[in-house]
Amino acid sequence: IRRAVSGATLLVFAVPPHHAVRLIPRMRRAYHANARALCLVTGVQMGADGTLLLASTVVSRALAGHAGAPALAVHPTASPGGLAPAVMPAVTPAVSVLVGADLLPDVVHGRPCELIIGCPDAPTAELWRTLLTTEAVHVVVAPSAAIAELVAHFAPIVALA
């Protein structure tokens, strides 16, 4: 894996975060120091302290090489209703998130679809948007990876309501 990412300036993670966490230490110091990362897998998992962590946070922490404060954590005890976001300092390098509806069939068949990239850094967001936009794929940028990731999970629930 070190040879595959040697000098890479763009890293795309399409594996579940628990697999990325095992791969990233083997990649460390092989990719470019200013590499940007894009997480295609979203979700929530339980941290060692009982905090729910977004997939992008898990990948970001692994890339940073330590278990520092998450970029965004959802604490089960933060509100009487259950889950409430608590914004904490970001761990570098920042990880962008790519979300959208069930896109694979649309992308494969060239049907129009829309992707959302969550990325607070405008130049990085524009880079991802440029790389991923095609005649059939429209890319929208959200100013936060955490917001994009959370919206992707709650949109189906809101649609059902």
Side-chain angles (χ1 to χ4, degrees), residues 1-15 20 23-41 59-60 62-64 93-98 124 127-128 131-132:
I1 188 115
R2 288 182 58 78
R3 189 171 54 202
V5 300
S6 180
T9 58
L10 300 175
L11 303 170
V12 178
F13 292 94
V15 296
L23 288 172
I24 289 169
R26 297 186 354 220
M27 298 167 37
R28 198 162 284 120
R29 290 185 287 284
Y31 53 84
H32 192 278
N34 294 322
R36 297 172 177 116
L38 182 65
C39 191
L40 305 184
V41 177
V59 172
S60 182
L63 284 168
V95 175
S96 301
V97 175
L98 179 70
T124 300
L127 172 66
W128 290 123
L131 290 172
L132 298 170

Side-chain angles (χ1 to χ4, degrees), residues 38-135:
L38 182 65
C39 191
L40 305 184
V41 177
T42 61
V44 178
Q45 71 181 56
M46 187 74 71
D49 62 355
T51 302
L52 297 177
L53 301 173
L54 296 172
S56 59
T57 301
V58 173
V59 172
S60 182
R61 290 170 76 176
L63 284 168
H66 60 80
L72 183 127
V74 181
H75 298 277
T77 58
S79 74
L83 304 178
V87 179
M88 301 178 156
V91 175
T92 54
V95 175
S96 301
V97 175
L98 179 70
V99 296
D102 186 14
L103 297 170
L104 185 58
D106 291 334
V107 171
V108 168
H109 293 99
R111 294 188 295 253
C113 59
E114 183 173 83
L115 301 174
I116 300 170
I117 294 180
C119 179
D121 175 50
T124 300
E126 182 59 24
L127 172 66
W128 290 123
R129 191 188 67 71
T130 301
L131 290 172
L132 298 170
T133 298
T134 68
E135 281 186 34

